Structure formats: structure tokens, C-alpha cells
Amino acid sequence: RIIESDPAGDLSLQRLGDAVGLSPGYLGKIFKASTGMNLVDFVADQRLTRAAKLLAESADDVQDIGRSVGFNSPAYFIKRFKERYGRTPYDYRRSLGG
């Protein structure tokens, strides 16, 4: 719930571990064992899903959207977005007619 409710917040393993009373290492280990996915990648995926929705629904600047979902580096946001969606956020928005 923490990840879904505040995707732009501090979602480090340390903070998430503290929130659920587990060490960061153990949290990462059990998360991967139960989902098959690395927790850091899951957090990024949630942020990218939110960014794609904002790109479709708003006219906000792409860099502002990246920041609003928790990517502090525009270059990293663009890189991860392209890895997930196969195009940059700019191209994604254009493909939607925006």
C-alpha cells in the first residue's frame, strides 16, 4: 500500500523495511521469493505506470511528470520509460495524440 499510495515518496528498501518491521535485505529477499521480481524494479514499474497515465491525461511537462512520480533524474526517467514502453515519454505522448 505504501508504494501505491505514495509512488513519488521515499520507497527505498530501508524505508519500506522500517515500515513493515524487516531489515532491508530480508525484505528484498522475501519480496523476490514471493513475486519473482526485484523490489526496486517493482517500485520503478509502479512509478512508470503512474507516469504513463499522467502523460495520457495531462499536459504537464514530461520532466515534471517524471519528478512527480519519483524519478529525480530526467535522463533516468526517460531511460526506464523507454525500457518499459519501447519509446520515450515524449514519443509515448505523441502516439496518444497529445
Side-chain angles (χ1 to χ4, degrees), residues 1-3 10-31 39:
R1 290 185 183 182
I2 295 169
I3 296 168
D10 174 10
L11 299 177
S12 64
L13 278 172
Q14 182 67 51
R15 172 152 186 275
L16 295 173
D18 289 348
V20 296
L22 299 172
S23 74
Y26 186 63
L27 174 61
K29 183 178 177 178
I30 62 169
F31 188 87
L39 182 57

PDB file of all heavy atoms in Angstrom, residues 1-3 10-31 39:
ATOM      1  N   ARG A   1       0.807  -1.208   0.000  1.00  0.00           N
ATOM      2  CA  ARG A   1       0.000   0.000   0.000  1.00  0.00           C
ATOM      3  C   ARG A   1       0.844   1.263   0.000  1.00  0.00           C
ATOM      4  O   ARG A   1       0.429   2.263  -0.559  1.00  0.00           O
ATOM      5  CB  ARG A   1      -0.933   0.018   1.206  1.00  0.00           C
ATOM      6  CG  ARG A   1      -2.013  -1.004   1.099  1.00  0.00           C
ATOM      7  CD  ARG A   1      -2.949  -0.863   2.225  1.00  0.00           C
ATOM      8  NE  ARG A   1      -3.929  -1.933   2.111  1.00  0.00           N
ATOM      9  CZ  ARG A   1      -4.913  -2.096   2.913  1.00  0.00           C
ATOM     10  NH1 ARG A   1      -5.083  -1.291   3.909  1.00  0.00           N
ATOM     11  NH2 ARG A   1      -5.757  -3.063   2.740  1.00  0.00           N
ATOM     12  N   ILE A   2       1.966   1.213   0.666  1.00  0.00           N
ATOM     13  CA  ILE A   2       2.838   2.386   0.715  1.00  0.00           C
ATOM     14  C   ILE A   2       3.265   2.758  -0.697  1.00  0.00           C
ATOM     15  O   ILE A   2       3.245   3.923  -1.074  1.00  0.00           O
ATOM     16  CB  ILE A   2       4.082   2.119   1.591  1.00  0.00           C
ATOM     17  CG1 ILE A   2       3.681   1.904   3.038  1.00  0.00           C
ATOM     18  CG2 ILE A   2       5.076   3.263   1.486  1.00  0.00           C
ATOM     19  CD1 ILE A   2       4.794   1.384   3.918  1.00  0.00           C
ATOM     20  N   ILE A   3       3.624   1.764  -1.475  1.00  0.00           N
ATOM     21  CA  ILE A   3       4.107   2.001  -2.835  1.00  0.00           C
ATOM     22  C   ILE A   3       2.996   2.592  -3.696  1.00  0.00           C
ATOM     23  O   ILE A   3       3.212   3.543  -4.433  1.00  0.00           O
ATOM     24  CB  ILE A   3       4.656   0.702  -3.448  1.00  0.00           C
ATOM     25  CG1 ILE A   3       5.876   0.233  -2.648  1.00  0.00           C
ATOM     26  CG2 ILE A   3       5.023   0.899  -4.909  1.00  0.00           C
ATOM     27  CD1 ILE A   3       6.342  -1.169  -2.978  1.00  0.00           C
ATOM     28  N   ASP A  10       9.752   8.366  -0.635  1.00  0.00           N
ATOM     29  CA  ASP A  10      10.954   7.587  -0.370  1.00  0.00           C
ATOM     30  C   ASP A  10      10.550   6.117  -0.291  1.00  0.00           C
ATOM     31  O   ASP A  10       9.969   5.676   0.688  1.00  0.00           O
ATOM     32  CB  ASP A  10      11.601   8.048   0.941  1.00  0.00           C
ATOM     33  CG  ASP A  10      12.786   7.177   1.350  1.00  0.00           C
ATOM     34  OD1 ASP A  10      13.242   6.336   0.542  1.00  0.00           O
ATOM     35  OD2 ASP A  10      13.254   7.335   2.491  1.00  0.00           O
ATOM     36  N   LEU A  11      10.845   5.394  -1.344  1.00  0.00           N
ATOM     37  CA  LEU A  11      10.500   3.975  -1.387  1.00  0.00           C
ATOM     38  C   LEU A  11      11.756   3.111  -1.405  1.00  0.00           C
ATOM     39  O   LEU A  11      11.820   2.073  -2.042  1.00  0.00           O
ATOM     40  CB  LEU A  11       9.623   3.690  -2.618  1.00  0.00           C
ATOM     41  CG  LEU A  11       8.294   4.439  -2.630  1.00  0.00           C
ATOM     42  CD1 LEU A  11       7.518   4.162  -3.908  1.00  0.00           C
ATOM     43  CD2 LEU A  11       7.450   4.067  -1.414  1.00  0.00           C
ATOM     44  N   SER A  12      12.742   3.570  -0.647  1.00  0.00           N
ATOM     45  CA  SER A  12      13.974   2.802  -0.538  1.00  0.00           C
ATOM     46  C   SER A  12      13.698   1.523   0.251  1.00  0.00           C
ATOM     47  O   SER A  12      12.725   1.436   1.011  1.00  0.00           O
ATOM     48  CB  SER A  12      15.035   3.627   0.187  1.00  0.00           C
ATOM     49  OG  SER A  12      14.629   3.884   1.522  1.00  0.00           O
ATOM     50  N   LEU A  13      14.581   0.547   0.066  1.00  0.00           N
ATOM     51  CA  LEU A  13      14.448  -0.693   0.842  1.00  0.00           C
ATOM     52  C   LEU A  13      14.476  -0.387   2.336  1.00  0.00           C
ATOM     53  O   LEU A  13      13.751  -1.018   3.104  1.00  0.00           O
ATOM     54  CB  LEU A  13      15.567  -1.669   0.480  1.00  0.00           C
ATOM     55  CG  LEU A  13      15.353  -2.492  -0.780  1.00  0.00           C
ATOM     56  CD1 LEU A  13      16.612  -3.261  -1.135  1.00  0.00           C
ATOM     57  CD2 LEU A  13      14.188  -3.444  -0.607  1.00  0.00           C
ATOM     58  N   GLN A  14      15.300   0.576   2.724  1.00  0.00           N
ATOM     59  CA  GLN A  14      15.393   0.933   4.144  1.00  0.00           C
ATOM     60  C   GLN A  14      14.047   1.421   4.670  1.00  0.00           C
ATOM     61  O   GLN A  14      13.567   0.950   5.687  1.00  0.00           O
ATOM     62  CB  GLN A  14      16.465   2.011   4.352  1.00  0.00           C
ATOM     63  CG  GLN A  14      16.652   2.394   5.811  1.00  0.00           C
ATOM     64  CD  GLN A  14      17.225   1.264   6.637  1.00  0.00           C
ATOM     65  OE1 GLN A  14      18.227   0.684   6.281  1.00  0.00           O
ATOM     66  NE2 GLN A  14      16.577   0.940   7.743  1.00  0.00           N
ATOM     67  N   ARG A  15      13.428   2.361   3.960  1.00  0.00           N
ATOM     68  CA  ARG A  15      12.138   2.913   4.422  1.00  0.00           C
ATOM     69  C   ARG A  15      11.051   1.858   4.412  1.00  0.00           C
ATOM     70  O   ARG A  15      10.265   1.742   5.346  1.00  0.00           O
ATOM     71  CB  ARG A  15      11.713   4.085   3.560  1.00  0.00           C
ATOM     72  CG  ARG A  15      10.272   4.489   3.942  1.00  0.00           C
ATOM     73  CD  ARG A  15       9.942   5.906   3.723  1.00  0.00           C
ATOM     74  NE  ARG A  15       8.623   6.207   4.234  1.00  0.00           N
ATOM     75  CZ  ARG A  15       7.487   6.021   3.551  1.00  0.00           C
ATOM     76  NH1 ARG A  15       7.489   5.534   2.348  1.00  0.00           N
ATOM     77  NH2 ARG A  15       6.328   6.354   4.087  1.00  0.00           N
ATOM     78  N   LEU A  16      10.985   1.078   3.345  1.00  0.00           N
ATOM     79  CA  LEU A  16       9.959   0.046   3.264  1.00  0.00           C
ATOM     80  C   LEU A  16      10.180  -1.019   4.324  1.00  0.00           C
ATOM     81  O   LEU A  16       9.220  -1.502   4.946  1.00  0.00           O
ATOM     82  CB  LEU A  16       9.931  -0.568   1.863  1.00  0.00           C
ATOM     83  CG  LEU A  16       9.507   0.389   0.740  1.00  0.00           C
ATOM     84  CD1 LEU A  16       9.681  -0.275  -0.618  1.00  0.00           C
ATOM     85  CD2 LEU A  16       8.074   0.861   0.938  1.00  0.00           C
ATOM     86  N   GLY A  17      11.429  -1.385   4.544  1.00  0.00           N
ATOM     87  CA  GLY A  17      11.735  -2.354   5.598  1.00  0.00           C
ATOM     88  C   GLY A  17      11.331  -1.833   6.965  1.00  0.00           C
ATOM     89  O   GLY A  17      10.732  -2.561   7.769  1.00  0.00           O
ATOM     90  N   ASP A  18      11.642  -0.569   7.229  1.00  0.00           N
ATOM     91  CA  ASP A  18      11.245   0.043   8.502  1.00  0.00           C
ATOM     92  C   ASP A  18       9.723   0.035   8.662  1.00  0.00           C
ATOM     93  O   ASP A  18       9.204  -0.218   9.743  1.00  0.00           O
ATOM     94  CB  ASP A  18      11.741   1.484   8.592  1.00  0.00           C
ATOM     95  CG  ASP A  18      13.256   1.589   8.775  1.00  0.00           C
ATOM     96  OD1 ASP A  18      13.905   0.555   9.057  1.00  0.00           O
ATOM     97  OD2 ASP A  18      13.781   2.710   8.604  1.00  0.00           O
ATOM     98  N   ALA A  19       9.016   0.294   7.571  1.00  0.00           N
ATOM     99  CA  ALA A  19       7.548   0.363   7.629  1.00  0.00           C
ATOM    100  C   ALA A  19       6.912  -0.974   7.973  1.00  0.00           C
ATOM    101  O   ALA A  19       5.854  -1.014   8.594  1.00  0.00           O
ATOM    102  CB  ALA A  19       7.003   0.877   6.302  1.00  0.00           C
ATOM    103  N   VAL A  20       7.563  -2.052   7.561  1.00  0.00           N
ATOM    104  CA  VAL A  20       6.976  -3.377   7.827  1.00  0.00           C
ATOM    105  C   VAL A  20       7.743  -4.168   8.881  1.00  0.00           C
ATOM    106  O   VAL A  20       7.420  -5.325   9.149  1.00  0.00           O
ATOM    107  CB  VAL A  20       6.832  -4.213   6.526  1.00  0.00           C
ATOM    108  CG1 VAL A  20       5.862  -3.556   5.575  1.00  0.00           C
ATOM    109  CG2 VAL A  20       8.174  -4.452   5.867  1.00  0.00           C
ATOM    110  N   GLY A  21       8.747  -3.538   9.471  1.00  0.00           N
ATOM    111  CA  GLY A  21       9.475  -4.178  10.557  1.00  0.00           C
ATOM    112  C   GLY A  21      10.459  -5.258  10.124  1.00  0.00           C
ATOM    113  O   GLY A  21      10.677  -6.218  10.859  1.00  0.00           O
ATOM    114  N   LEU A  22      11.027  -5.111   8.931  1.00  0.00           N
ATOM    115  CA  LEU A  22      12.006  -6.080   8.436  1.00  0.00           C
ATOM    116  C   LEU A  22      13.275  -5.364   8.013  1.00  0.00           C
ATOM    117  O   LEU A  22      13.238  -4.189   7.649  1.00  0.00           O
ATOM    118  CB  LEU A  22      11.441  -6.837   7.217  1.00  0.00           C
ATOM    119  CG  LEU A  22      10.187  -7.662   7.425  1.00  0.00           C
ATOM    120  CD1 LEU A  22       9.662  -8.173   6.090  1.00  0.00           C
ATOM    121  CD2 LEU A  22      10.461  -8.830   8.368  1.00  0.00           C
ATOM    122  N   SER A  23      14.380  -6.081   8.032  1.00  0.00           N
ATOM    123  CA  SER A  23      15.611  -5.479   7.531  1.00  0.00           C
ATOM    124  C   SER A  23      15.480  -5.307   6.027  1.00  0.00           C
ATOM    125  O   SER A  23      14.769  -6.073   5.362  1.00  0.00           O
ATOM    126  CB  SER A  23      16.819  -6.360   7.850  1.00  0.00           C
ATOM    127  OG  SER A  23      16.837  -7.504   7.005  1.00  0.00           O
ATOM    128  N   PRO A  24      16.134  -4.304   5.464  1.00  0.00           N
ATOM    129  CA  PRO A  24      16.043  -4.077   4.019  1.00  0.00           C
ATOM    130  C   PRO A  24      16.449  -5.302   3.199  1.00  0.00           C
ATOM    131  O   PRO A  24      15.783  -5.663   2.230  1.00  0.00           O
ATOM    132  CB  PRO A  24      16.997  -2.913   3.772  1.00  0.00           C
ATOM    133  CG  PRO A  24      17.124  -2.229   5.083  1.00  0.00           C
ATOM    134  CD  PRO A  24      16.950  -3.288   6.124  1.00  0.00           C
ATOM    135  N   GLY A  25      17.520  -5.941   3.605  1.00  0.00           N
ATOM    136  CA  GLY A  25      17.981  -7.121   2.871  1.00  0.00           C
ATOM    137  C   GLY A  25      16.971  -8.262   2.894  1.00  0.00           C
ATOM    138  O   GLY A  25      16.715  -8.913   1.877  1.00  0.00           O
ATOM    139  N   TYR A  26      16.397  -8.493   4.074  1.00  0.00           N
ATOM    140  CA  TYR A  26      15.427  -9.571   4.193  1.00  0.00           C
ATOM    141  C   TYR A  26      14.146  -9.242   3.431  1.00  0.00           C
ATOM    142  O   TYR A  26      13.576 -10.096   2.759  1.00  0.00           O
ATOM    143  CB  TYR A  26      15.122  -9.853   5.668  1.00  0.00           C
ATOM    144  CG  TYR A  26      14.231 -11.047   5.869  1.00  0.00           C
ATOM    145  CD1 TYR A  26      14.642 -12.324   5.494  1.00  0.00           C
ATOM    146  CD2 TYR A  26      12.966 -10.901   6.420  1.00  0.00           C
ATOM    147  CE1 TYR A  26      13.818 -13.412   5.664  1.00  0.00           C
ATOM    148  CE2 TYR A  26      12.136 -11.997   6.602  1.00  0.00           C
ATOM    149  CZ  TYR A  26      12.569 -13.253   6.222  1.00  0.00           C
ATOM    150  OH  TYR A  26      11.744 -14.344   6.384  1.00  0.00           O
ATOM    151  N   LEU A  27      13.718  -7.995   3.494  1.00  0.00           N
ATOM    152  CA  LEU A  27      12.530  -7.582   2.742  1.00  0.00           C
ATOM    153  C   LEU A  27      12.736  -7.818   1.251  1.00  0.00           C
ATOM    154  O   LEU A  27      11.870  -8.386   0.578  1.00  0.00           O
ATOM    155  CB  LEU A  27      12.204  -6.112   2.995  1.00  0.00           C
ATOM    156  CG  LEU A  27      11.068  -5.534   2.148  1.00  0.00           C
ATOM    157  CD1 LEU A  27       9.756  -6.265   2.402  1.00  0.00           C
ATOM    158  CD2 LEU A  27      10.924  -4.051   2.400  1.00  0.00           C
ATOM    159  N   GLY A  28      13.884  -7.383   0.742  1.00  0.00           N
ATOM    160  CA  GLY A  28      14.180  -7.597  -0.675  1.00  0.00           C
ATOM    161  C   GLY A  28      14.182  -9.073  -1.036  1.00  0.00           C
ATOM    162  O   GLY A  28      13.658  -9.470  -2.076  1.00  0.00           O
ATOM    163  N   LYS A  29      14.737  -9.884  -0.172  1.00  0.00           N
ATOM    164  CA  LYS A  29      14.823 -11.328  -0.419  1.00  0.00           C
ATOM    165  C   LYS A  29      13.437 -11.981  -0.439  1.00  0.00           C
ATOM    166  O   LYS A  29      13.120 -12.743  -1.349  1.00  0.00           O
ATOM    167  CB  LYS A  29      15.697 -11.971   0.651  1.00  0.00           C
ATOM    168  CG  LYS A  29      15.928 -13.438   0.465  1.00  0.00           C
ATOM    169  CD  LYS A  29      16.851 -13.979   1.545  1.00  0.00           C
ATOM    170  CE  LYS A  29      17.020 -15.472   1.384  1.00  0.00           C
ATOM    171  NZ  LYS A  29      17.940 -16.028   2.372  1.00  0.00           N
ATOM    172  N   ILE A  30      12.606 -11.671   0.550  1.00  0.00           N
ATOM    173  CA  ILE A  30      11.289 -12.319   0.574  1.00  0.00           C
ATOM    174  C   ILE A  30      10.367 -11.765  -0.511  1.00  0.00           C
ATOM    175  O   ILE A  30       9.520 -12.482  -1.030  1.00  0.00           O
ATOM    176  CB  ILE A  30      10.611 -12.266   1.973  1.00  0.00           C
ATOM    177  CG1 ILE A  30      10.342 -10.842   2.429  1.00  0.00           C
ATOM    178  CG2 ILE A  30      11.421 -13.028   2.980  1.00  0.00           C
ATOM    179  CD1 ILE A  30       9.461 -10.742   3.660  1.00  0.00           C
ATOM    180  N   PHE A  31      10.553 -10.491  -0.853  1.00  0.00           N
ATOM    181  CA  PHE A  31       9.743  -9.929  -1.938  1.00  0.00           C
ATOM    182  C   PHE A  31      10.045 -10.664  -3.243  1.00  0.00           C
ATOM    183  O   PHE A  31       9.144 -11.081  -3.955  1.00  0.00           O
ATOM    184  CB  PHE A  31      10.008  -8.431  -2.099  1.00  0.00           C
ATOM    185  CG  PHE A  31       9.075  -7.766  -3.071  1.00  0.00           C
ATOM    186  CD1 PHE A  31       7.855  -7.281  -2.651  1.00  0.00           C
ATOM    187  CD2 PHE A  31       9.404  -7.655  -4.416  1.00  0.00           C
ATOM    188  CE1 PHE A  31       6.967  -6.682  -3.546  1.00  0.00           C
ATOM    189  CE2 PHE A  31       8.535  -7.067  -5.320  1.00  0.00           C
ATOM    190  CZ  PHE A  31       7.313  -6.575  -4.878  1.00  0.00           C
ATOM    191  N   LEU A  39      12.374  -5.866  -5.757  1.00  0.00           N
ATOM    192  CA  LEU A  39      11.539  -4.798  -5.192  1.00  0.00           C
ATOM    193  C   LEU A  39      11.831  -3.442  -5.827  1.00  0.00           C
ATOM    194  O   LEU A  39      10.909  -2.673  -6.104  1.00  0.00           O
ATOM    195  CB  LEU A  39      11.713  -4.722  -3.676  1.00  0.00           C
ATOM    196  CG  LEU A  39      10.873  -3.686  -2.939  1.00  0.00           C
ATOM    197  CD1 LEU A  39       9.380  -3.892  -3.200  1.00  0.00           C
ATOM    198  CD2 LEU A  39      11.148  -3.722  -1.450  1.00  0.00           C
TER     199      LEU A  39
END
